[in-house]
Amino acid sequence: MTAEQKILSDKIAALKASKRAIILAHYYTRGEVQAVADFMGDSLALSQKAAQADADIILFAGVRFMAETAKVLSPSKKVLLPVVEAGCSLADSCDAAELARVKAENPDHLVVAYVNTSVEVKALTDICCTSSNALDIVNRLPADQKVLFVPDRNLGGYINKVTGRDMKLWDGACLVHEEFSVERIAELKEAHPAARVVVHPECKAEVAALADYAGSTAGILTYCGREDVQEVIVVTESGILYELERRYPSKKFYLVPTKDGCERCIACKDMKLVTLENIYQTLLDESPEVVIDEAVRAAAEGSIRRMLDMSV
Ligand code: 13P
Ligand code: SF4
């Protein structure tokens, strides 16, 4: 951390204390942002934390759907999102009006939605899931229950493959995770034959097929803690390296480069919009605040609560 970042971090800590605020951060945010967080996690852990947080203000260091989920679960708290434009290509790939239309055409299908969706989509959803619990949640549904899985075709396809189900899949994807190529991973594997390959299930099927372990960011962090895992090819957003190196400083981690060899370029630009500067300003101003229409919030809450109840 630079001297300037240290000064800002101290100012943020003072503001957090005086305003009873907490910062929740996703593993894909910048390292210095993760360093000022009270709690870091994958999307499931962050939503669980948001539901229980003992604070007046939750500042969400992440993207919009995450801050919306926090607000849905904690409507009496002030939820702040430093950059209102921080979106998600996956959430953007599912429009609520279009989902309403597809639902009407498939009235016998249960809608299972990845948490990477807008609050309006969650309001039309029966059960939410994250990459941590998607497999378990789908497995617990009756075998003959028809399911419409939105919006990630890759995660949905992975679950269909593992469970043998035939869920109807929305045609959405995370543009960041779709960038990973089999060729670049194969080159790394050749250079580091002992390395295990860990993959986020938002990647394409041919990439997920190379995995020694496929799972959420939290699942990846736990897997990398195993004694027999010392070298790892990391096939997810590069921000996770901060927590991997913090937890396991003696292990070796290899990020997958882009075609032109850039190692940290497979990054979620929206997650990187959050900086120490805008966190400080947001806490100071108590704005931008996440505001959700109460009818939409209440409709969305059921789908998230059902997921949390199934994940304890
Ligand atoms: P998880 O945090 O569930 O691993 O999901 C990754 C992601 O893409 C968050 O946007
Ligand atoms: Fe969305 Fe992909 Fe960024 Fe996650 S990494 S927030 S799924 S665009």
Side-chain angles (χ1 to χ4, degrees):
M1 199 178 265
T2 65
E4 225 169 76
Q5 287 174 337
K6 173 82 181 81
I7 293 168
L8 260 178
S9 301
D10 290 347
K11 286 163 88 173
I12 289 168
L15 273 180
K16 278 197 303 186
S18 69
K19 295 187 179 228
R20 273 188 37 87
I22 59 162
I23 299 179
L24 306 184
H26 192 268
Y27 295 121
Y28 294 164
T29 53
R30 296 167 187 270
E32 66 272 19
V33 167
Q34 296 186 44
V36 296
D38 297 279
F39 184 80
M40 291 190 309
D42 67 350
S43 22
L44 175 62
L46 290 169
S47 58
Q48 286 166 328
K49 192 72 188 176
Q52 308 147 357
D54 177 25
D56 296 330
I57 297 177
I58 298 173
L59 183 141
F60 217 108
V63 295
R64 190 167 49 249
F65 78 80
M66 296 180 165
E68 283 179 352
T69 303
K71 184 66 183 178
V72 167
L73 293 169
S74 290
S76 61
K77 296 191 177 91
K78 194 174 262 189
V79 176
L80 304 174
L81 178 66
V83 185
V84 283
E85 299 79 26
C88 165
S89 53
L90 194 43
D92 289 348
S93 57
C94 186
D95 171 68
E98 178 65 5
L99 175 59
R101 198 188 56 73
V102 177
K103 260 185 80 159
E105 282 170 9
N106 297 276
D108 52 348
H109 282 60
L110 194 84
V111 179
V112 177
Y114 195 26
V115 74
N116 299 40
T117 43
S118 69
V119 69
E120 289 81 9
V121 164
K122 289 188 179 79
L124 298 170
T125 291
D126 295 299
I127 310 175
C128 274
C129 67
T130 75
S131 50
S132 274
N133 59 19
L135 204 53
D136 187 40
I137 284 181
V138 171
N139 261 329
R140 287 161 73 176
L141 301 175
D144 58 352
Q145 172 64 60
K146 290 183 179 168
V147 176
L148 168 63
F149 188 87
V150 302
D152 189 353
R153 60 175 178 243
N154 293 323
L155 178 62
Y158 174 76
I159 296 169
N160 271 346
K161 190 172 161 209
V162 175
T163 61
R165 289 184 88 111
D166 185 24
M167 299 188 299
K168 194 177 177 68
L169 307 182
W170 197 266
D171 192 19
C174 161
L175 297 183
V176 178
H177 284 90
E178 284 232 316
E179 265 193 73
F180 290 102
S181 74
V182 168
E183 293 74 23
R184 295 285 90 81
I185 298 165
E187 281 163 17
L188 274 176
K189 189 76 191 160
E190 210 176 305
H192 309 285
R196 304 286 175 89
V197 179
V198 297
V199 176
H200 197 284
E202 287 173 14
C203 294
K204 288 187 236 167
E206 60 266 33
V207 169
L210 304 175
D212 292 299
Y213 173 81
S216 74
T217 45
I220 287 173
L221 284 157
T222 304
Y223 176 85
C224 291
R226 280 170 40 163
E227 192 66 32
D228 61 330
V229 178
Q230 293 298 327
E231 272 187 88
V232 186
I233 297 168
V234 182
V235 191
T236 189
E237 209 271 359
S238 53
I240 198 173
L241 199 66
Y242 175 83
E243 183 63 6
L244 281 170
E245 289 182 334
R246 194 187 71 79
R247 285 195 199 182
Y248 315 119
S250 64
K251 299 193 179 189
K252 289 202 174 82
F253 299 104
Y254 310 110
L255 291 176
V256 184
T258 51
K259 275 197 198 87
D260 42 9
C262 176
E263 269 202 345
R264 283 179 187 257
C265 290
I266 301 192
C268 178
K269 65 173 178 31
D270 292 272
M271 288 282 189
K272 307 301 186 223
L273 289 173
V274 186
T275 63
L276 289 182
E277 286 79 5
N278 56 39
I279 287 178
Y280 173 70
Q281 199 58 47
T282 301
L283 274 178
L284 193 66
D285 300 344
E286 298 186 21
S287 173
E289 184 181 351
V290 177
V291 180
I292 301 173
D293 172 83
E294 178 51 24
V296 177
R297 189 207 66 78
E301 185 174 6
S303 63
I304 306 172
R305 293 263 176 221
R306 255 166 250 131
M307 167 186 86
L308 294 178
D309 291 347
M310 287 172 87
S311 306
V312 283

